Amino acid sequence: MKKFLFISILAAGLASCDSYLDINQDPNSPTEENITTDMLMPAAEMNVAASYGDYLRITGGYLTQVYAQYFGTSNYLDYSQFQMSAARSSSFYTQMTQRGQNNLKTIREKAAAEGDAGTYLAATVLRAFAYQALVDCYGEIPYTQALDENNLSPAYDDGLTVYNGLLAELDEALANVTTSSPVCTNFLFPDETAEPWIKFAKALKLRILMRMWNAQDVSAEVSALIAENDFPTADVAYTSCWADTEGARNPFYSEDFAPGQQQNLILNQALLGTMQLKDENNSVTYQDPRLAAFFKANTDGEYVGGISGSNLSTAADITSNTLCRPVATATMPLCMLTVAETEFFIAEYYARTNNASQAQSHYEAAIEASFASAGVEGAAENITQYPYDQANFEKCIGIAKWIAMSGVNPFEGYCDVRRLGYPTFGTATGDDFFDAATGAYDVSSYEPGTLYTPIMVFNQVGNNQVLQRWPYPVSSSSTNANTPDFPGYTVPVFWAE
């Protein structure tokens, strides 16, 4: 696979989060019977990966106080206030369904007809990955009747039904593939056979099963997966396909960091106050080495956090140079699933089955993997700072995972904050940290390892809770007569009930 092919395909426009690559037939396109899986897979990958690595990274970061809004700008201030409208996610939903899933459906059909088990598995993994993310946002989505061009109003399926369907699809694809099965042209594992896709599929199964834990007895399935121990040994990420040219940059970088783009994302005080601990004299007593890998220090070489719900435009001692932007480059990896995340899930499994020693071992392995991914030393000291506690395993895993995911895929942190309940909310609120009327900024009352109610929090979410689910997108509800009534912003999706 050549990089020039990737760049030429993307040239149609990766400039904003709702315009990523699409291959929809037009008069100049090959006829349907002449389209190959090699032609379709790169487009399908980018439909899924770009939406996940850009839109969900941004929203997940705001909704779990990894990010706050840049000084004086307002593009994502509503996310910062824990708000999501039915219109805001519509482009993302369309990208992941009508575009991404339609391409993946065609790939699966062609691969099945050709007996191409490796390509069939790859397309199934991406399909399951996308559908899981959609359930994790909306709770219920069209699935069993989806992608039928003759049915403009497919029924919405409950999340547990979708999850079980995805597991069945993955199992069916895995049953028919070998490690040496070839896979069509793709960006994720270029020039590889099906072996890394098999490992990715099993790690994705683990993610799905562990999310289901409180909704359905999946202990036997999880135990079998962990015993097999056939998970990725490196982060599953899009790496070598990016280039620092317009249309070929990492989507997250392209959205908020490329030349000419408005700056929006800054470090949130909640994450900062957990990764950088201070004493009563405001002296730093411990700083997580990953902080410098995830965020840039300000022009004074210091870390200052923004406050959810405000862009600090009236702050007396804050300027655009005071705050800290995420570390981002045009060619940075776009992580789909990390070794650290898998290890945290394994630790959680052992914690839930009362095997404290194995839980601790995998908890520590998860932190070590996060440090390795960040390219920094100091995991041992961090483990000492945040030791494993079997009696409070949800708290210690929840906080440690939130930190680890903050620098690579905060959406997964958002999912587990809702599911595990940690970090929980402290006693201080955003209004305690910043007074817009006077400009006073004082974060001394922040409690490490907690979230806080944003300034001007969305009133349908309210105090001391995160946004639990998103309203069904206008791009679906406006045309689908079977769209259910929205249950409310604070009603958990099935795995967090």
Side-chain angles (χ1 to χ4, degrees):
M1 181 183 63
K2 303 296 185 182
K3 183 174 285 188
F4 73 81
L5 172 63
F6 172 75
I7 295 174
S8 66
I9 291 173
L10 289 185
L14 292 184
S16 67
C17 65
D18 61 356
S19 64
Y20 289 115
L21 180 138
D22 178 24
I23 296 182
N24 290 317
Q25 191 167 322
D26 63 45
N28 297 316
S29 297
T31 59
E32 185 173 342
E33 61 268 20
N34 291 328
I35 292 177
T36 67
T37 56
D38 287 310
M39 297 166 63
L40 286 174
M41 180 61 88
E45 286 182 283
M46 288 301 103
N47 287 137
V48 175
S51 294
Y52 179 80
D54 177 14
Y55 188 77
L56 290 188
R57 176 169 183 157
I58 289 172
T59 53
Y62 274 105
L63 295 173
T64 50
Q65 298 182 333
V66 170
Y67 303 137
Q69 185 62 37
Y70 189 72
F71 182 84
T73 66
S74 59
N75 198 34
Y76 300 127
L77 195 57
D78 52 345
Y79 300 156
S80 180
Q81 295 166 345
F82 292 178
Q83 182 172 358
M84 176 66 72
S85 72
R88 276 293 248 168
S89 68
S90 283
S91 294
F92 151 75
Y93 180 85
T94 299
Q95 192 75 21
M96 290 280 266
T97 54
Q98 296 175 19
R99 297 171 186 169
Q101 290 293 6
N102 275 317
N103 280 332
L104 291 169
K105 177 185 177 183
T106 302
I107 294 168
R108 278 162 45 93
E109 290 171 349
K110 286 184 174 291
E114 297 165 4
D116 185 354
T119 298
Y120 185 84
L121 172 66
T124 300
V125 170
L126 292 175
R127 169 182 161 88
F129 187 98
Y131 269 126
Q132 182 190 17
L134 291 167
V135 169
D136 295 345
C137 294
Y138 300 104
E140 301 80 34
I141 59 169
Y143 171 67
T144 56
Q145 297 180 8
L147 308 181
D148 179 356
E149 62 185 15
N150 296 315
N151 183 358
L152 300 181
S153 293
Y156 274 63
D157 295 291
D158 66 88
L160 185 59
T161 294
V162 179
Y163 262 46
N164 276 311
L166 299 179
L167 288 172
E169 289 183 20
L170 289 169
D171 285 340
E172 182 252 348
L174 285 167
N176 294 305
V177 74
T178 67
T179 57
S180 60
S181 297
V183 179
C184 71
T185 298
N186 68 91
F187 297 139
L188 189 57
F189 301 113
D191 306 317
E192 295 280 352
T193 60
E195 183 173 12
W197 285 100
I198 291 171
K199 294 179 182 295
F200 184 16
K202 291 176 181 178
L204 181 58
K205 280 188 63 179
L206 180 65
R207 177 194 282 176
I208 293 170
L209 287 164
M210 288 304 297
R211 292 256 169 86
M212 294 170 66
W213 188 275
N214 289 327
Q216 180 177 309
D217 184 2
V218 294
S219 55
E221 292 91 332
V222 175
S223 177
L225 263 181
I226 292 174
E228 189 178 4
N229 193 29
D230 191 23
F231 302 120
T233 56
D235 294 345
V236 176
Y238 288 93
T239 55
S240 60
C241 55
W242 313 118
D244 193 7
T245 57
E246 186 174 357
R249 300 181 177 106
N250 173 289
F252 177 68
Y253 176 87
S254 182
E255 180 69 20
D256 211 73
F257 302 87
Q261 292 296 103
Q262 177 178 292
Q263 298 181 339
N264 294 287
L265 311 179
I266 59 170
L267 171 63
N268 196 301
Q269 172 58 32
L271 184 65
L272 172 59
T274 303
M275 297 186 78
Q276 185 188 73
L277 305 180
K278 295 183 177 181
D279 62 19
E280 62 276 7
N281 298 316
N282 204 37
S283 297
V284 175
T285 58
Y286 172 74
Q287 180 168 300
D288 189 322
R290 291 171 294 180
L291 180 60
F294 296 164
F295 290 88
K296 297 178 181 178
N298 64 21
T299 54
D300 293 325
E302 298 177 342
Y303 288 94
V304 175
I307 308 301
S308 290
S310 172
N311 60 16
L312 300 178
S313 58
T314 61
D317 300 318
I318 301 291
T319 69
S320 59
N321 291 327
T322 305
L323 302 167
C324 303
R325 294 271 283 155
V327 171
T329 67
T331 59
M332 64 190 288
L334 192 162
C335 286
M336 303 286 277
L337 197 152
T338 65
V339 173
E341 184 186 359
T342 298
E343 288 291 342
F344 276 123
F345 278 131
I346 297 173
E348 183 187 340
Y349 164 76
Y350 282 120
R352 292 188 182 281
T353 54
N354 297 310
N355 189 332
S357 62
Q358 284 288 351
Q360 178 178 342
S361 176
H362 286 280
Y363 171 83
E364 294 175 356
I367 293 174
E368 290 165 356
S370 174
F371 271 74
S373 293
V376 296
E377 303 290 334
E381 183 180 2
N382 184 267
I383 291 168
T384 300
Q385 190 72 43
Y386 292 100
Y388 179 73
D389 179 3
Q390 175 66 20
N392 297 286
F393 72 86
E394 290 178 319
K395 179 178 181 179
C396 67
I397 291 175
I399 293 173
K401 195 171 188 179
W402 170 64
I403 295 170
M405 296 298 101
S406 68
V408 285
N409 45 8
F411 178 73
E412 299 309 321
Y414 172 53
C415 291
D416 282 317
V417 166
R418 289 178 288 161
R419 184 177 63 89
L420 296 174
Y422 291 94
T424 190
F425 284 77
T427 57
T429 70
D431 290 309
D432 294 320
F433 306 142
F434 175 61
D435 185 331
T438 66
Y441 172 94
D442 181 1
V443 296
S444 60
S445 60
Y446 173 75
E447 304 164 55
T450 65
L451 304 178
Y452 59 89
T453 298
I455 297 169
M456 297 183 67
V457 66
F458 181 42
N459 61 7
Q460 293 188 57
V461 173
N463 296 337
N464 298 326
Q465 54 187 335
V466 298
L467 176 70
Q468 290 288 341
R469 65 162 65 220
W470 300 3
Y472 307 119
V474 169
S475 53
S476 175
S477 62
S478 63
T479 59
N480 188 342
N482 286 319
T483 304
D485 293 334
F486 179 53
Y489 295 93
T490 59
V491 175
V493 299
F494 83 95
W495 42 250
E497 293 177 348

PDB file of all heavy atoms in Angstrom, residues 414-425:
ATOM      1  N   TYR A 414     -14.562   8.330  29.116  1.00  0.00           N
ATOM      2  CA  TYR A 414     -15.940   8.777  29.321  1.00  0.00           C
ATOM      3  C   TYR A 414     -16.877   7.594  29.564  1.00  0.00           C
ATOM      4  O   TYR A 414     -17.739   7.630  30.451  1.00  0.00           O
ATOM      5  CB  TYR A 414     -16.382   9.581  28.103  1.00  0.00           C
ATOM      6  CG  TYR A 414     -17.837   9.959  28.056  1.00  0.00           C
ATOM      7  CD1 TYR A 414     -18.463  10.612  29.117  1.00  0.00           C
ATOM      8  CD2 TYR A 414     -18.596   9.697  26.911  1.00  0.00           C
ATOM      9  CE1 TYR A 414     -19.805  10.972  29.058  1.00  0.00           C
ATOM     10  CE2 TYR A 414     -19.937  10.056  26.848  1.00  0.00           C
ATOM     11  CZ  TYR A 414     -20.539  10.690  27.913  1.00  0.00           C
ATOM     12  OH  TYR A 414     -21.857  11.041  27.848  1.00  0.00           O
ATOM     13  N   CYS A 415     -16.682   6.535  28.789  1.00  0.00           N
ATOM     14  CA  CYS A 415     -17.524   5.349  28.978  1.00  0.00           C
ATOM     15  C   CYS A 415     -17.321   4.753  30.363  1.00  0.00           C
ATOM     16  O   CYS A 415     -18.296   4.396  31.051  1.00  0.00           O
ATOM     17  CB  CYS A 415     -17.211   4.307  27.897  1.00  0.00           C
ATOM     18  SG  CYS A 415     -17.721   4.788  26.235  1.00  0.00           S
ATOM     19  N   ASP A 416     -16.089   4.642  30.801  1.00  0.00           N
ATOM     20  CA  ASP A 416     -15.847   3.985  32.076  1.00  0.00           C
ATOM     21  C   ASP A 416     -16.108   4.877  33.272  1.00  0.00           C
ATOM     22  O   ASP A 416     -16.383   4.383  34.364  1.00  0.00           O
ATOM     23  CB  ASP A 416     -14.431   3.403  32.097  1.00  0.00           C
ATOM     24  CG  ASP A 416     -14.350   2.098  31.311  1.00  0.00           C
ATOM     25  OD1 ASP A 416     -15.260   1.269  31.458  1.00  0.00           O
ATOM     26  OD2 ASP A 416     -13.399   1.922  30.537  1.00  0.00           O
ATOM     27  N   VAL A 417     -16.046   6.196  33.114  1.00  0.00           N
ATOM     28  CA  VAL A 417     -16.508   7.081  34.183  1.00  0.00           C
ATOM     29  C   VAL A 417     -17.990   6.835  34.451  1.00  0.00           C
ATOM     30  O   VAL A 417     -18.431   6.755  35.600  1.00  0.00           O
ATOM     31  CB  VAL A 417     -16.250   8.557  33.825  1.00  0.00           C
ATOM     32  CG1 VAL A 417     -17.032   9.487  34.758  1.00  0.00           C
ATOM     33  CG2 VAL A 417     -14.761   8.885  33.910  1.00  0.00           C
ATOM     34  N   ARG A 418     -18.767   6.668  33.383  1.00  0.00           N
ATOM     35  CA  ARG A 418     -20.202   6.395  33.555  1.00  0.00           C
ATOM     36  C   ARG A 418     -20.439   5.002  34.121  1.00  0.00           C
ATOM     37  O   ARG A 418     -21.332   4.798  34.949  1.00  0.00           O
ATOM     38  CB  ARG A 418     -20.913   6.532  32.209  1.00  0.00           C
ATOM     39  CG  ARG A 418     -21.028   7.950  31.701  1.00  0.00           C
ATOM     40  CD  ARG A 418     -21.703   7.999  30.348  1.00  0.00           C
ATOM     41  NE  ARG A 418     -20.852   7.501  29.283  1.00  0.00           N
ATOM     42  CZ  ARG A 418     -21.305   7.092  28.100  1.00  0.00           C
ATOM     43  NH1 ARG A 418     -22.613   7.091  27.840  1.00  0.00           N
ATOM     44  NH2 ARG A 418     -20.467   6.678  27.166  1.00  0.00           N
ATOM     45  N   ARG A 419     -19.639   4.036  33.689  1.00  0.00           N
ATOM     46  CA  ARG A 419     -19.885   2.647  34.081  1.00  0.00           C
ATOM     47  C   ARG A 419     -19.368   2.344  35.481  1.00  0.00           C
ATOM     48  O   ARG A 419     -20.043   1.691  36.289  1.00  0.00           O
ATOM     49  CB  ARG A 419     -19.229   1.709  33.065  1.00  0.00           C
ATOM     50  CG  ARG A 419     -19.497   0.231  33.299  1.00  0.00           C
ATOM     51  CD  ARG A 419     -18.876  -0.598  32.196  1.00  0.00           C
ATOM     52  NE  ARG A 419     -17.431  -0.461  32.161  1.00  0.00           N
ATOM     53  CZ  ARG A 419     -16.582  -1.222  32.842  1.00  0.00           C
ATOM     54  NH1 ARG A 419     -17.036  -2.182  33.639  1.00  0.00           N
ATOM     55  NH2 ARG A 419     -15.280  -1.043  32.745  1.00  0.00           N
ATOM     56  N   LEU A 420     -18.157   2.792  35.788  1.00  0.00           N
ATOM     57  CA  LEU A 420     -17.547   2.491  37.086  1.00  0.00           C
ATOM     58  C   LEU A 420     -17.927   3.510  38.163  1.00  0.00           C
ATOM     59  O   LEU A 420     -17.829   3.218  39.356  1.00  0.00           O
ATOM     60  CB  LEU A 420     -16.023   2.438  36.950  1.00  0.00           C
ATOM     61  CG  LEU A 420     -15.464   1.326  36.050  1.00  0.00           C
ATOM     62  CD1 LEU A 420     -13.953   1.482  35.883  1.00  0.00           C
ATOM     63  CD2 LEU A 420     -15.795  -0.049  36.608  1.00  0.00           C
ATOM     64  N   GLY A 421     -18.321   4.709  37.733  1.00  0.00           N
ATOM     65  CA  GLY A 421     -18.698   5.730  38.703  1.00  0.00           C
ATOM     66  C   GLY A 421     -17.543   6.537  39.245  1.00  0.00           C
ATOM     67  O   GLY A 421     -17.730   7.327  40.180  1.00  0.00           O
ATOM     68  N   TYR A 422     -16.354   6.380  38.657  1.00  0.00           N
ATOM     69  CA  TYR A 422     -15.165   7.116  39.102  1.00  0.00           C
ATOM     70  C   TYR A 422     -14.386   7.617  37.903  1.00  0.00           C
ATOM     71  O   TYR A 422     -14.339   6.934  36.870  1.00  0.00           O
ATOM     72  CB  TYR A 422     -14.261   6.216  39.955  1.00  0.00           C
ATOM     73  CG  TYR A 422     -14.860   5.864  41.287  1.00  0.00           C
ATOM     74  CD1 TYR A 422     -15.577   4.687  41.451  1.00  0.00           C
ATOM     75  CD2 TYR A 422     -14.735   6.728  42.371  1.00  0.00           C
ATOM     76  CE1 TYR A 422     -16.151   4.366  42.675  1.00  0.00           C
ATOM     77  CE2 TYR A 422     -15.310   6.411  43.603  1.00  0.00           C
ATOM     78  CZ  TYR A 422     -16.011   5.233  43.749  1.00  0.00           C
ATOM     79  OH  TYR A 422     -16.580   4.931  44.959  1.00  0.00           O
ATOM     80  N   PRO A 423     -13.789   8.814  38.062  1.00  0.00           N
ATOM     81  CA  PRO A 423     -13.828   9.703  39.208  1.00  0.00           C
ATOM     82  C   PRO A 423     -15.246  10.172  39.523  1.00  0.00           C
ATOM     83  O   PRO A 423     -16.024  10.440  38.621  1.00  0.00           O
ATOM     84  CB  PRO A 423     -12.961  10.898  38.777  1.00  0.00           C
ATOM     85  CG  PRO A 423     -12.140  10.408  37.639  1.00  0.00           C
ATOM     86  CD  PRO A 423     -12.968   9.377  36.958  1.00  0.00           C
ATOM     87  N   THR A 424     -15.539  10.275  40.812  1.00  0.00           N
ATOM     88  CA  THR A 424     -16.813  10.803  41.250  1.00  0.00           C
ATOM     89  C   THR A 424     -16.676  12.309  41.458  1.00  0.00           C
ATOM     90  O   THR A 424     -15.594  12.882  41.257  1.00  0.00           O
ATOM     91  CB  THR A 424     -17.280  10.106  42.531  1.00  0.00           C
ATOM     92  OG1 THR A 424     -18.626  10.481  42.803  1.00  0.00           O
ATOM     93  CG2 THR A 424     -16.391  10.463  43.724  1.00  0.00           C
ATOM     94  N   PHE A 425     -17.745  12.961  41.891  1.00  0.00           N
ATOM     95  CA  PHE A 425     -17.707  14.405  42.061  1.00  0.00           C
ATOM     96  C   PHE A 425     -17.249  14.777  43.467  1.00  0.00           C
ATOM     97  O   PHE A 425     -17.661  14.164  44.456  1.00  0.00           O
ATOM     98  CB  PHE A 425     -19.084  15.018  41.780  1.00  0.00           C
ATOM     99  CG  PHE A 425     -19.400  15.093  40.317  1.00  0.00           C
ATOM    100  CD1 PHE A 425     -19.792  13.954  39.617  1.00  0.00           C
ATOM    101  CD2 PHE A 425     -19.282  16.288  39.628  1.00  0.00           C
ATOM    102  CE1 PHE A 425     -20.064  14.010  38.261  1.00  0.00           C
ATOM    103  CE2 PHE A 425     -19.552  16.357  38.271  1.00  0.00           C
ATOM    104  CZ  PHE A 425     -19.938  15.214  37.577  1.00  0.00           C
TER     105      PHE A 425
END
